Amino acid sequence: MYPEVVPVVRCPNCTAHPLTLLGPLYEDGEIVVGALRCEFCAVQTPIREGIWDALNDRLLPLTPAQITNYLPPAARLYEPLWRWNALTLMSGRRFPLREELTLLRGLIQPRPDRFYLDVACSAGLYARTLAAPGAIVAAVDHSWAMLREARRQARERGLRISYMRASAQALPVVNGAAAGVVMGGSLNEIGDQHAALCEIRRVLEPDGQFFCMNLVKATSGWGRVLQSGLSTGGVDFPKLATLNQWFDRAGLRREAQWRWRVVAITLLQLANLK
Ligand SMILES: C[S@@+](CC[C@H](N)C(=O)[O-])C[C@H]1O[C@@H](n2cnc3c(N)ncnc32)[C@H](O)[C@@H]1O
């Protein structure tokens, strides 16, 4: 975790802020060991191995799909074995990772001194894509294995990204802090989607943007069979219309949307709630 992110985080217990940084040990500017203390409720949460554990060692109830993300080999192999070709395999066209990341960067346009958040980041692909010079980038996941791998990859490339262990349904970030929030493929397995989308809405700046890539219900017979098998492990594949209702209900307005077979990419902003 890097010091510039401390002002935008809030207490995971009582939501107060700012938090006080205790006993930091720095390595190349990163806080590798320390704690964040809430002066209001006195709860202290540790920073270990450079990662802020806002869940304070707490284990969450997990679906089988989520459990696989806790395994270190899954974290290590996730990007090279699956992610690099995932959209080509699922979109029915050649869809290189470069194209997805160019779209992400072009739509979010990370700017210096603005804060960006990757929610349910896995090995941190989107966070790395946003790490433009001067942009303040943080990424959240609830899996230690994924966060360690994400941090390893960022450090290998000299990127300044803050990693936080937290639930997508309780982001430890202050209201209206993020110029951009991104989520790649996670809405399908995140659990309570409404709570997660409401949290994303809460942390966005009034003119902030949310880039969401996720999977929708297949229309082909084989696709449906495969998806119904995966659904038993806790992965949800909504129809596009249902997905759009989820966004509406959370107060997120669609600015643009693309669909290629089961792959959907949506750019959203805050809806004006009456
Ligand atoms: C499909 S992967 C994310 C892929 C990544 N965003 C990318 O573009 O390569 C899903 C990730 O969501 C995380 N996850 C699932 N449910 C979560 C939750 N409720 N809170 C935080 N992280 C969650 C898992 O640990 C896993 O790393």
Side-chain angles (χ1 to χ4, degrees):
M1 179 179 215
Y2 289 88
E4 61 271 23
V5 168
V6 174
V8 298
V9 298
R10 72 180 197 178
C11 176
N13 182 50
C14 75
T15 76
H17 67 96
L19 302 182
T20 308
L21 177 59
L22 301 178
L25 280 182
Y26 293 91
E27 218 175 78
D28 301 328
E30 186 189 27
I31 309 160
V32 287
V33 178
L36 290 174
R37 179 186 156 85
C38 173
E39 300 306 337
F40 191 75
C41 70
V43 162
Q44 204 165 298
T45 38
I47 300 169
R48 284 190 220 109
E49 302 174 52
I51 297 165
W52 178 37
D53 185 9
L55 289 171
N56 215 351
D57 279 335
R58 196 154 48 88
L59 290 175
L60 302 173
L62 299 174
T63 63
Q66 288 170 329
I67 288 170
T68 57
N69 293 311
Y70 272 57
L71 308 173
R76 195 66 186 239
L77 297 174
Y78 176 71
E79 284 188 7
L81 277 195
W82 168 244
R83 194 59 176 86
W84 291 350
N85 283 310
L87 294 203
T88 295
L89 291 170
M90 294 185 298
S91 66
R93 69 166 181 100
R94 198 172 158 271
F95 201 146
L97 191 55
R98 199 179 327 111
E99 184 180 337
E100 178 187 352
L101 301 184
T102 301
L103 186 63
L104 170 71
R105 211 179 295 111
L107 291 171
I108 296 293
Q109 297 193 5
R111 280 160 291 164
D113 300 326
R114 308 291 290 277
F115 175 65
Y116 299 88
L117 185 66
D118 182 356
V119 175
C121 64
S122 278
L125 179 67
Y126 277 8
R128 296 199 303 276
T129 305
L130 296 180
I136 302 169
V137 181
V140 164
D141 204 286
H142 62 192
S143 154
W144 267 114
M146 287 294 182
L147 290 164
R148 283 193 188 105
E149 173 63 14
R151 177 171 174 263
R152 185 189 71 77
Q153 291 213 37
R155 282 171 66 92
E156 212 170 77
R157 293 165 173 81
L159 299 174
R160 198 175 168 101
I161 300 171
S162 294
Y163 290 101
M164 323 200 265
R165 183 171 173 263
S167 157
Q169 287 81 7
L171 297 172
V173 170
V174 299
N175 297 355
V181 175
V182 296
M183 180 153 62
S186 306
L187 197 59
N188 299 91
E189 61 181 83
I190 214 155
D192 183 344
Q193 295 99 351
H194 180 63
L197 291 172
C198 288
E199 276 296 85
I200 289 169
R201 183 183 199 286
R202 180 184 66 73
V203 304
L204 273 174
E205 282 180 4
D207 61 349
Q209 289 187 305
F210 171 35
F211 177 102
C212 184
M213 185 279 284
N214 67 288
L215 305 181
V216 292
K217 201 165 221 49
T219 48
S220 73
W222 277 115
R224 280 180 180 251
V225 170
L226 186 64
Q227 288 188 342
S228 69
L230 290 169
S231 299
T232 59
V235 189
D236 254 4
F237 300 96
K239 288 185 176 156
L240 190 65
T242 308
L243 172 71
N244 289 337
Q245 283 168 5
W246 290 353
F247 291 142
D248 293 346
R249 209 154 71 81
L252 292 161
R253 189 184 72 228
R254 268 167 286 137
E255 292 293 302
Q257 188 168 60
W258 297 264
R259 180 191 180 162
W260 303 269
R261 286 201 184 151
V262 297
V263 177
I265 291 184
T266 315
L267 184 72
L268 301 120
Q269 285 200 332
L270 301 197
N272 291 323
L273 293 183
K274 296 205 179 94

